[in-house]
Amino acid sequence: MRLNYIRNISLAMVAASVIMACSEEDVERADYIAFEGKAVELETPLDGSGATEYKVYTTVVAGSDRTFSIQVDKDATTADAADYTVPSTVTVPGGSNVGTFSVESGATNIGKSIVLKFAPNESTIVGSVMRINVFEECNENLLFLDFLFDDYPEETAYGIFDAEGNWVAGNAAYGEYAGLTQTRERICLPDGSYTLVIYDSYGDGIPGGTFNLRNVSDGSVLASGGGEFGTSTSGEFTLP
């Protein structure tokens, strides 16, 4: 017990001496850079290419421009490198903590992703990777359907029907969400009246889970629910 006590005192003294050795200038220089999000989107038309601007943020505002290197994580990226363009650097202007850069992709990468990371930097702590998911451009009403699942996500499915009862979007079969805890469906629809139907194959709904359908353009919630609802539950909505 006494040896452990002496050892702990010694370690504490070493740690204190290291902290004291760090000047205020060293603390002020501590910096961190991160992408705007861990998962973002890039839309591209079927007959061409699309580009989106993304932001990076630092914790320190410097008096002069700073340039950071961006790399593509080739092991995690599924997109075809021949059909996307990623800059090798991003600049954070002096007097600001925000920098911007653009990524461009062609239609061959729809449904795939580009994963970016910062190159190691001795003077700056770098944040986690950013996954850019490439989608077909939506020129109508873009909707997000967010699911938070119960313990049996494979039992959940959804369908969207127009005013005439025609199926216009949804799952082809149960089982698509197996192994997931949550997910987001991206839906593009023209103006009109619709019905969202959430299905559960077991017949107990989504106990402890939720679903939320919203219009991306204005953030309005079009339908939402969850909990126990039997084999299905539905909600009507109109676009725009």
Side-chain angles (χ1 to χ4, degrees):
M1 290 293 291
R2 182 170 297 179
L3 289 176
N4 287 336
Y5 177 79
I6 295 173
R7 183 182 64 182
N8 291 338
I9 291 294
S10 299
L11 290 174
M13 292 176 66
V14 170
S17 65
V18 170
I19 294 173
M20 292 177 65
C22 294
S23 65
E24 291 183 3
E25 182 179 3
D26 291 330
V27 174
E28 290 177 357
R29 287 178 179 172
D31 196 8
Y32 181 85
I33 186 168
F35 293 109
E36 64 177 66
K38 292 184 178 180
V40 295
E41 298 183 355
L42 190 160
E43 288 191 345
T44 183
L46 289 175
D47 57 352
S49 62
T52 300
E53 184 178 90
Y54 304 100
K55 295 180 180 180
V56 300
Y57 298 91
T58 63
T59 54
V60 171
V61 176
S64 58
D65 293 356
R66 291 172 293 165
T67 300
F68 301 91
S69 296
I70 299 175
Q71 299 176 340
V72 176
D73 187 333
K74 296 181 180 179
D75 292 334
T77 294
T78 58
D80 182 359
D83 203 23
Y84 67 74
T85 303
V86 176
S88 58
T89 61
V90 59
T91 298
V92 177
S96 174
N97 71 326
V98 182
T100 60
F101 67 97
S102 293
V103 175
E104 183 177 358
S105 177
T108 59
N109 287 325
I110 291 175
K112 301 178 182 179
S113 61
I114 306 165
V115 180
L116 304 183
K117 61 182 179 180
F118 291 109
N121 189 308
E122 293 182 357
S123 62
T124 305
I125 301 170
V126 299
S128 58
V129 301
M130 180 172 75
R131 180 179 299 275
I132 301 174
N133 298 308
V134 184
F135 294 97
E136 179 183 348
E137 183 179 39
C138 178
N139 294 314
E140 297 175 313
N141 299 285
L142 178 60
L143 314 180
F144 284 165
L145 175 59
D146 293 310
F147 283 105
L148 177 64
F149 297 112
D150 59 10
D151 293 334
Y152 304 94
E154 66 277 6
E155 297 175 356
T156 300
Y158 83 96
I160 295 180
F161 302 86
D162 63 17
E164 287 71 45
N166 301 307
W167 183 93
V168 295
N171 305 112
Y174 288 107
E176 183 176 323
Y177 302 131
L180 300 180
T181 56
Q182 59 185 6
T183 196
R184 167 173 289 173
E185 293 287 355
R186 189 177 186 277
I187 304 161
C188 189
L189 294 175
D191 293 349
S193 297
Y194 299 92
T195 300
L196 168 69
V197 183
I198 306 298
Y199 301 98
D200 183 77
S201 62
Y202 186 76
D204 63 348
I206 317 175
T210 61
F211 65 88
N212 183 285
L213 179 69
R214 65 183 175 89
N215 191 329
V216 175
S217 65
D218 60 10
S220 61
V221 176
L222 305 176
S224 63
E228 297 184 7
F229 53 74
T231 57
S232 68
T233 185
S234 63
E236 297 180 350
F237 62 95
T238 300
L239 300 171

